[in-house]
Amino acid sequence: MAMSGDQKGSLTLVGTPIGNLGDFSPRAVEALENADLIAAEDTRVTLKLLNHFGIKKPLVSYFEHNKRDRGEQLLSQMESGTNLVLVSDAGMPAISDPGETLCNSCHERGIPVTVVPGPTAVTTAVALSGFPSGRFTFEGFLSTNKKSRADHLKSVKDETRTMVFYEAPHKLRATARDLRDTFGEDRPVAVIRELTKLHEEVWRTTLGEAAARYREEEPRGEYVLVIAGAAPQEDAPAFTLDLAVALARDLVNDGNSASAAAKEAAAQTGFSKGEIYKRLVEEE
């Protein structure tokens, strides 16, 4: 039951299975059993989870399109003493999820926030891919807005870390094509489908082959795309004073004055104009 008086309630983020109910932890079950109220992305999905574990608790929906109004209601209830558990349909709430907004608002209002960690597709897919995992970047879902999508892809075109994208089956064909066009035909990718479910599949291939496959084949299931990062660009060789002077000399030979040549060579190499000019004149 909710507490009365001035004592605030709390928010508990609970990770839910991404496909296999056997991954739901005893502590997560306990958190749901102790909740006053459970906020869920889709109450129908969460009701199946509750029924499986024999839990009976009031449910309320909280998702992208009602997060503003419903969020305010939930915050008011927590400030009045309600202990709220937040879950998503699958994985960790508040990760690429509207729960991020509610969690931030709780921190801003001084409402205690805790977490019961659980399955998440991001780290599960990176581990399964076999790609470098010391540093990786989670890119979530690409926008369906053309400009936002193009800007997003442009911003990661030269990313050297492993990248993780989520995608729904009906959007995978276009996404595979856009990723190929951004990163190139030969960029390695692990196409991971239906994580932890009966038909789990891990396909290590290239973006060119992935785009070709799904141009012909209808994608089925939920996808995580783990893409190898770009090869680090080799640093350009550092200029020496000798190279800077040689550059200035070429500029003089092209008709520039020694002073103008030294100034331009300094701008391009980082050496001082005076240093270059002195050597240039001494060599004449």
Side-chain angles (χ1 to χ4, degrees), residues 7-266:
Q7 189 172 0
K8 289 183 179 179
S10 63
L11 173 67
T12 303
L13 307 172
V14 174
T16 55
I18 56 177
N20 191 319
L21 289 175
D23 294 333
F24 202 51
S25 73
R27 186 167 166 243
V29 172
E30 183 181 8
L32 294 181
E33 289 174 337
N34 292 335
D36 295 317
L37 178 66
I38 299 171
E41 186 176 1
D42 185 332
T43 55
R44 296 166 298 182
V45 172
T46 300
L47 184 58
K48 292 178 183 177
L49 179 70
L50 296 182
N51 288 340
H52 180 82
F53 289 97
I55 300 169
K56 296 185 183 297
K57 290 289 175 176
L59 280 168
V60 63
S61 65
Y62 175 83
F63 56 94
E64 184 63 34
H65 300 296
N66 77 348
K67 67 180 182 181
R68 178 171 296 179
D69 292 339
R70 182 56 51 80
E72 282 300 321
Q73 295 170 15
L74 294 174
L75 288 164
S76 294
Q77 287 177 271
M78 284 184 281
E79 287 179 326
S80 298
T82 296
N83 291 312
L84 177 73
V85 164
L86 177 67
V87 297
S88 66
D89 288 349
M92 280 301 301
I95 302 295
S96 193
D97 174 88
E100 172 190 353
T101 303
L102 185 62
C103 181
N104 183 57
S105 296
C106 284
H107 285 299
E108 289 179 343
R109 296 197 189 189
I111 298 170
V113 180
T114 189
V115 65
V116 178
T120 176
V122 184
T123 53
T124 305
V126 172
L128 199 52
S129 73
F131 291 152
S133 60
R135 298 180 68 200
F136 63 89
T137 171
F138 175 51
E139 300 299 327
F141 289 94
L142 286 171
S143 173
T144 54
N145 176 277
K146 286 185 178 180
K147 185 179 185 309
S148 297
R149 189 181 184 90
D151 289 345
H152 187 165
L153 289 173
K154 182 179 179 182
S155 73
V156 295
K157 184 175 181 180
D158 299 318
E159 176 60 66
T160 57
R161 293 169 293 182
T162 298
M163 293 166 282
V164 186
F165 291 86
Y166 285 169
E167 197 49 278
H170 64 284
K171 298 177 184 176
L172 183 72
R173 185 169 288 156
T175 294
R177 181 191 64 231
D178 290 346
L179 292 172
R180 176 204 62 196
D181 292 347
T182 299
F183 300 115
E185 293 268 350
D186 298 327
R187 180 69 67 88
V189 60
V191 180
I192 300 175
R193 187 175 71 89
E194 295 290 85
L195 266 174
T196 76
K197 299 177 185 175
L198 181 63
H199 299 293
E200 178 182 281
E201 177 187 16
V202 182
W203 179 36
R204 291 244 316 208
T205 184
T206 64
L207 287 173
E209 290 176 350
R213 172 180 172 178
Y214 292 112
R215 188 168 57 241
E216 305 297 330
E217 180 183 314
E218 190 69 30
R220 297 182 185 280
E222 297 299 320
Y223 288 82
V224 183
L225 305 173
V226 185
I227 302 174
Q233 295 182 355
E234 293 185 9
D235 293 335
F239 276 105
T240 62
L241 181 56
D242 287 341
L243 287 173
V245 173
L247 174 60
R249 192 181 304 112
D250 288 341
L251 292 169
V252 169
N253 292 336
D254 288 339
N256 293 278
S257 69
S259 177
K263 182 179 180 181
E264 177 60 26

